[in-house]
Amino acid sequence: MKLSINIDHIATIRNARGGIEPDPVAAAALCEKAGAHGIVVHLREDRRHIKDRDVRLLRETIKTKLDLEMGANEDIISVALEVVPDLITLVPEKRQELTTEGGLDVASQKEKLKNVIARFHEKNIPVSLFVNPIPVQIDASKEVGADIIELHTGEYSEAKGVSEQKRLLAELKSAAVHAKNLGLGINAGHGLNYVNVRSVVDIHQIDEMSIGHSIISRAAFVGLERAVKEMLDLVKR
Ligand code: PXP
C-alpha cells in the first residue's frame, strides 16, 4: 500500500502570517525523506492555501509523484496543463466549504469530464476522480476515461459507532472490488487518521492512501518526518 501526503495545511499555517514559513517545498522534501510515495496539493479556486507558485516550485523539486488536486474549472485547468503533474485528481469544489465535502458527481456531467480528461490525456497526465463509494459513480468514471478513482472515505471516517463504521467499511470494500473489476486504479482518502486507517488498509484492492490533516496535525507535536513514518508503518501490509 502506498501513501501520498497532502501538504495543503503547511501552506495554511504559512498563510496565517502571510510570510514564507513553513515552506511547502521543504515539507515535501521531508515527507519524501521519510518514505512517502507522493505529494498531494489542492490548488483551490480561491488559493486559500496552496498558491500557483507552490505548484510550480513543487513540480521542480518533487522526486516521487506530484498529485494535483483540483476542480474542473478553466483557470485551474490551464495551470495544470502548464505544470504537467504526475497525476491529476479531480474533486468537486465549493467556495464556502471548509474542505472537499462530497465526491464528484461524475454521472451527471459525463460529457464535460470526458472532454477535460481527454485534454489531460493528450499531455500524458493520468486522471483520478474523487468519488463516493457507489457503483453508479464508479461506472461513470470508467465511461469518461478515468485511469483511477479515489474512494471518498469521509463518511466512514466520521461514522458514529461500530455498526455504522462496519457498514460504511463494507460499502468501501464492495466499491473497491467493483472498481478493480472495471480495471481502474484505486486510491482512497479524506478524514483518515492513525486510528481509523487500519481497516481501510485491509481492503486489498486499494493501491494508495491520500492523507493530509491528521499527519500535519501530528507533525506539530512530533515533527513531520516522524508523523509520516508512523503513518507509513500503519499502511504497510
Ligand atoms: N483526498 C482528497 C480528494 C481530498 O480532497 C482531501 C482533502 O484535501 C484528502 C484526500 C485528504 O484529506 P484529509 O486532509 O482529511 O486527510
Side-chain angles (χ1 to χ4, degrees):
M1 165 77 78
K2 290 185 174 170
L3 173 66
S4 281
I5 316 290
N6 180 315
I7 58 167
D8 290 347
H9 295 308
I10 295 290
T12 303
I13 300 170
R14 175 195 62 189
N15 298 351
R17 287 292 170 96
I20 58 167
E21 281 183 338
D23 180 6
V25 169
L30 283 174
C31 291
E32 289 187 321
K33 184 160 172 269
H37 303 96
I39 304 296
V40 188
V41 289
H42 185 175
L43 186 64
R44 296 186 74 100
E45 236 179 287
D46 62 8
R47 310 304 202 266
R48 72 172 72 152
H49 35 57
I50 292 292
K51 314 278 186 199
D52 298 46
R53 175 178 177 274
D54 297 321
V55 181
R56 293 196 172 97
L57 289 174
L58 288 165
R59 172 65 293 178
E60 288 180 29
T61 61
I62 284 173
K63 296 179 188 66
T64 53
K65 175 175 78 175
L66 171 62
D67 175 357
L68 180 62
E69 223 186 278
M70 52 178 277
N73 68 64
E74 277 308 318
D75 166 31
I76 311 283
I77 289 172
S78 64
V79 176
L81 287 171
E82 181 208 320
V83 168
V84 190
D86 302 298
L87 177 68
I88 282 174
T89 299
L90 291 177
V91 299
E93 195 176 302
K94 298 189 208 98
R95 276 181 184 256
Q96 303 308 322
E97 68 191 0
L98 283 178
T99 178
T100 312
E101 280 167 2
L104 195 61
D105 186 357
V106 184
S108 76
Q109 42 179 341
K110 284 194 230 170
E111 274 318 299
K112 177 187 170 184
L113 289 171
K114 202 181 274 182
N115 289 333
V116 171
I117 291 171
R119 287 166 73 190
F120 291 138
H121 280 172
E122 266 171 36
K123 288 240 174 189
N124 292 319
I125 311 170
V127 179
S128 172
L129 300 181
F130 183 55
V131 293
N132 289 332
I134 48 177
V136 65
Q137 297 298 346
I138 296 167
D139 292 340
S141 300
K142 178 72 184 174
E143 239 181 276
V144 299
D147 306 281
I148 297 171
I149 54 157
E150 181 177 331
L151 293 172
H152 195 322
T153 53
E155 218 190 330
Y156 157 77
S157 299
E158 282 163 27
K160 304 267 182 293
V162 176
S163 69
E164 181 74 348
Q165 207 173 26
K166 267 193 180 161
R167 182 182 68 76
L168 292 162
L169 200 59
E171 191 179 75
L172 283 168
K173 168 83 183 175
S174 68
V177 169
H178 186 67
K180 201 76 184 173
N181 287 338
L182 293 176
L184 291 160
I186 308 170
N187 297 344
H190 210 281
L192 296 174
N193 60 37
Y194 295 84
V195 177
N196 64 23
V197 76
R198 279 298 316 174
S199 307
V200 184
V201 174
D202 288 340
I203 302 175
H204 283 253
Q205 289 77 10
I206 298 174
D207 305 306
E208 182 166 323
M209 301 287 186
S210 170
I211 308 181
H213 190 268
S214 63
I215 294 174
I216 304 306
S217 302
R218 179 132 183 88
F221 296 129
V222 303
L224 188 53
E225 275 189 76
R226 184 167 147 196
V228 170
K229 281 185 179 147
E230 286 178 2
M231 189 59 86
L232 277 166
D233 279 345
L234 289 171
V235 305
K236 242 183 230 150
R237 286 195 171 120

